[in-house]
Amino acid sequence: MTNATAKDDVFLRDLWYFGIVGSEIKPGQMIQKERLGELVLFGRTHDGQAFAMTDICPHRAILLSGGEMVKTETGTQVQCPYHGWRFRPDGQCANIPSLTADQTEGMDISKIKARTYPVHESYGVIWIWFGYDAEAAPCLDPPTLDIPGDSKIRMHDECDFNCDMDAAVISLMDPAHIPYIHNQSWWRTPKTMHEKAKTFGPIERGFSMLPHKPSSNSFIYKLFGTDITTEITLELPGLRPEYMKAGDKHVTTVTIVTPVNAAKTIISVILYWNHPAVSFVPKWLIRRGMHIFMEQDSAAVDSQAIGMSYDPPQMFIHDSDIPAKWYLALRRNWEKHRKEGTDFVNPVKKPTTLRWRS
Ligand code: FES
Ligand SMILES: [Fe+2]
């Protein structure tokens, strides 16, 4: 068990989380990020392999990210900036420079380990595994996305939300806020609100707003032509891809919610596409549009976090708040399943149509 699990652990575990976008570290580079309340050092060996270990030196706790990555005959090692101890990507201590020859003989330094995390790199993302048992191997395959052809990241943006993970996920799955929080002429306004019916179905550890024609009041969708369908899925812990497809052309927007710590959450938006219409739009314009959306949501959840700090009751109404209820049930059921060994129960059992105005 990690220290974090021994404390009041608010995070869902035994799941793959978003770590970083792979292009953030080139071979021989490392970067520190906080994930689930832990300081993680993401690194890439000189031959290109991603790894993750604690950023806290097992000797006397200085941050390893202030040190350097050293290329040695046996592979890349992370060298601590304080006393030069070196660690292999598997966390094992490889060198303690202050030891004399006879001290080195009398001490098995391979028993000293920096904590490591399983990682997997796919779709341009380095995913990181957080288990309830920090020593146990992942019990799930890394996330899969339904991206046809090459899955090169075309654009990536991030935004910090000053709220816990649940508030951030719920804001993403909440259709009723869109005409208000994202009230802008080029998207939607309360005036264009009308009744909608969307059918949802279960997927593994989540649910899907099944493929449908996008809303007629969404100007952006019109840009992609008339023959398109869109599907939005939500999978634990906070993976929310939106697949827009027109024949073999696609625009895939993957929004990922990741807890930095109990009070801060990062939203990453990653775009993949092969649709020619998108390639004509200047990238700065797409980025600006994406960022406006995230800032609007971020301002809303910041304000909500102030309200929530007074511990008020919350209401979930039919049908627009049902996805939020499903998410909370998924979360509860996953925790129970992993901690008590009961079967995992998906709250969405069969295709269900929800109706609301937005
Ligand atoms: S604190 Fe890292 S080597 Fe001493
Ligand atoms: Fe939003």
Side-chain angles (χ1 to χ4, degrees), residues 200-230:
F200 293 74
I203 60 166
E204 227 181 329
R205 292 182 300 283
F207 55 86
S208 158
M209 184 193 279
L210 300 171
H212 59 279
K213 291 240 170 235
S215 300
S216 57
N217 57 345
S218 301
F219 157 75
I220 295 286
Y221 289 126
K222 289 184 186 142
L223 209 67
F224 304 126
T226 46
D227 192 24
I228 71 164
T229 62
T230 167

Side-chain angles (χ1 to χ4, degrees), residues 26-29 43-51 69 75-76 89:
K26 298 199 172 35
Q29 290 184 342
R44 192 182 289 290
T45 63
H46 291 87
D47 54 19
Q49 208 59 38
F51 65 90
M69 300 260 277
T76 300

Side-chain angles (χ1 to χ4, degrees), residues 171-172 174 177-178 181-182 293 296-297:
S171 91
L172 281 179
D174 169 12
H177 81 286
I178 294 171
I181 293 296
H182 307 296
F293 267 74
Q296 289 165 337
D297 282 321

Side-chain angles (χ1 to χ4, degrees), residues 57-64 80-87 97:
C57 180
H59 180 213
R60 294 240 302 282
I62 203 170
L63 302 183
L64 293 170
C80 178
Y82 210 173
H83 312 99
W85 291 24
R86 290 216 190 140
F87 299 91

Side-chain angles (χ1 to χ4, degrees), residues 254-300:
V254 180
T255 307
I256 316 172
V257 182
T258 311
V260 173
N261 54 44
K264 194 167 155 191
T265 301
I266 182 173
I267 311 286
S268 318
V269 181
I270 302 172
L271 260 72
Y272 310 83
W273 70 72
N274 67 357
H275 199 298
V278 192
S279 303
F280 285 117
V281 185
K283 277 199 174 178
W284 67 265
L285 192 63
I286 304 178
R287 189 180 296 281
R288 186 73 206 119
M290 266 161 56
H291 214 78
I292 288 172
F293 267 74
M294 288 203 278
E295 279 167 354
Q296 289 165 337
D297 282 321
S298 161

Side-chain angles (χ1 to χ4, degrees), residues 104-171:
T104 305
E105 259 174 38
M107 186 173 169
D108 182 4
I109 62 167
S110 72
K111 290 220 171 86
I112 301 172
K113 274 206 81 182
R115 184 191 165 185
T116 55
Y117 302 81
V119 292
H120 178 84
E121 190 163 9
S122 55
Y123 310 106
V125 170
I126 299 175
W127 309 92
I128 179 169
W129 176 261
F130 283 90
Y132 283 104
D133 178 349
E135 304 293 321
C139 60
L140 297 176
D141 289 335
T144 51
L145 296 168
D146 177 20
I147 299 175
D150 106 79
S151 52
K152 182 175 170 287
I153 294 181
R154 302 290 188 140
M155 192 166 293
H156 161 232
D157 200 2
E158 288 185 358
C159 191
D160 284 339
F161 282 26
N162 295 313
C163 65
D164 65 20
M165 157 127 193
D166 294 345
V169 175
I170 288 172
S171 91

Side-chain angles (χ1 to χ4, degrees), residues 23-55:
S23 59
E24 285 188 67
I25 43 171
K26 298 199 172 35
Q29 290 184 342
M30 55 185 174
I31 190 171
Q32 182 216 75
K33 297 280 174 178
E34 188 180 5
R35 297 286 179 258
L36 284 74
E38 298 177 31
L39 285 186
V40 181
L41 180 75
F42 290 92
R44 192 182 289 290
T45 63
H46 291 87
D47 54 19
Q49 208 59 38
F51 65 90
M53 63 168 71
T54 173
D55 194 25

